[in-house]
Amino acid sequence: RDAGNRGDDPQGAGRGVCFGMRRLLFALWLLSAPAGMALAQNSPALYDVYAQGRYEDAARAGAAARTAYGYALAARAVMADAVLRDTPCMECLQRAEALARQAVAADPKLADGQVLLAVSLGYQSRIKGIFWARMQNYPNQAKAALDAAVAAEPNNPYAVSALGGWQVEIVRGGGPFLARQLFGATLGEAMGLFDRAIRLAPANVAVRYQIALSLAGLDPEAHRARILSELDAAMRAMPNTAYERRLFSRAGELKAAMTGDRVKLDVLVRKYQGYP
């Protein structure tokens, strides 16, 4: 966790790359948000099943639709179920990946499909480990998917906030120097992306929650004011889905932990970040 300064030493470049790659895998997780706006607009009946928390029904119906939106919604439903479980489910993540790839194949410019592909790869990488993930070329695949998502839909708040989270974790893992030199990632850019995501969706529970969780994983003391502000905003927002209601509850738990024991906070953040 205390690797930030290593990136300032050019002699430690090899180690910094390793830390940067590991944090890249973590950053891919950050979009544990509900299905995107395009899904709600283009597949309202399917989205309603998802919004009710009927994840298996939504997954089956979405896949049966055989459209990009249907596959993406199915992937989102499977990911939501996996994220909310108490223990990791590799089978669930592989299923989500397969559905997301079908969505991307059907429409590469649907941001939701690309984002969900990145998320599913990131979760699997966390379970299997950095070396397995690199053998599978998952980091590069996932980064390409996130880039494609933002390029296709630059005003998609989930894609924008995810890219901000990626920047945060690369800076955290490799240090400011290597993050900037090797990945073009900076904390300033991350904060700009977070601000942009908020402007796009100021009352979105998931966007606010994910920004707070990202910064809590980076440094809960240095970013305390921003974290509490985002958590408060998440708790003032109106949850629109069963998934958002769970995030609403988690935001309350994180806020309470921010005023308590640091060890307890770290455990809770790690749990919500999806580590096995």
Side-chain angles (χ1 to χ4, degrees):
R1 287 180 175 272
D2 196 18
N5 292 332
R6 301 187 187 188
D8 295 326
D9 179 10
Q11 299 299 321
R15 288 176 297 169
V17 171
C18 180
F19 284 120
M21 293 300 293
R22 189 169 358 185
R23 301 284 25 114
L24 169 61
L25 292 173
F26 166 81
L28 302 176
W29 169 81
L30 293 173
L31 262 198
S32 57
M37 293 179 288
L39 298 181
Q41 294 170 353
N42 290 277
S43 302
L46 291 178
Y47 181 80
D48 187 57
V49 176
Y50 164 82
Q52 293 174 32
R54 295 162 51 197
Y55 300 127
E56 184 57 31
D57 289 342
R60 291 180 178 177
R66 298 183 181 276
T67 65
Y69 297 109
Y71 287 130
L73 184 64
R76 178 64 269 171
V78 174
M79 279 303 307
D81 176 60
V83 167
L84 296 176
R85 293 188 180 208
D86 291 330
T87 57
C89 175
M90 190 67 176
E91 181 181 355
C92 302
L93 300 174
Q94 291 171 336
R95 182 185 178 195
E97 177 194 348
L99 290 164
R101 288 191 186 279
Q102 288 178 289
V104 170
D107 184 357
K109 293 187 177 181
L110 178 63
D112 295 292
Q114 297 283 9
V115 167
L116 288 162
L117 174 58
V119 172
S120 65
L121 296 180
Y123 265 108
Q124 292 179 64
S125 299
R126 183 166 291 100
I127 294 172
K128 288 289 190 176
I130 180 65
F131 295 109
W132 176 88
R134 292 179 69 178
M135 288 292 291
Q136 303 297 321
N137 197 34
Y138 274 14
N140 289 334
Q141 289 186 53
K143 179 57 165 54
L146 286 176
D147 285 344
V150 175
E153 297 182 27
N155 291 329
N156 184 310
Y158 307 121
V160 172
S161 62
L163 188 56
W166 176 81
Q167 300 258 352
V168 165
E169 295 308 320
I170 294 300
V171 171
R172 177 190 175 194
F177 178 81
L178 282 181
R180 182 176 60 255
Q181 294 299 316
L182 299 179
F183 299 101
T186 69
L187 186 57
E189 179 69 15
M191 292 301 190
L193 288 164
F194 286 158
D195 291 343
R196 178 179 163 194
I198 289 172
R199 289 194 297 272
L200 291 169
N204 187 286
V205 175
V207 169
R208 295 285 196 167
Y209 168 83
Q210 291 300 335
I211 292 172
L213 185 61
S214 177
L215 294 176
L218 175 64
D219 189 334
E221 294 303 324
H223 301 285
R224 180 181 180 83
R226 179 69 184 265
I227 293 168
L228 289 174
S229 175
E230 298 299 341
L231 292 174
D232 284 340
M235 295 169 67
R236 288 195 303 269
M238 177 67 69
N240 294 313
T241 67
Y243 190 83
E244 285 189 346
R245 285 193 289 274
R246 290 291 298 273
L247 295 190
F248 182 94
S249 177
R250 288 186 174 188
E253 293 180 31
L254 278 175
K255 183 178 179 181
M258 285 288 292
T259 61
D261 181 76
R262 173 62 185 270
V263 174
K264 182 178 179 180
L265 173 63
D266 289 344
V267 170
L268 193 62
V269 169
R270 183 177 176 86
K271 174 184 176 182
Y272 288 166
Q273 287 174 342
Y275 284 97

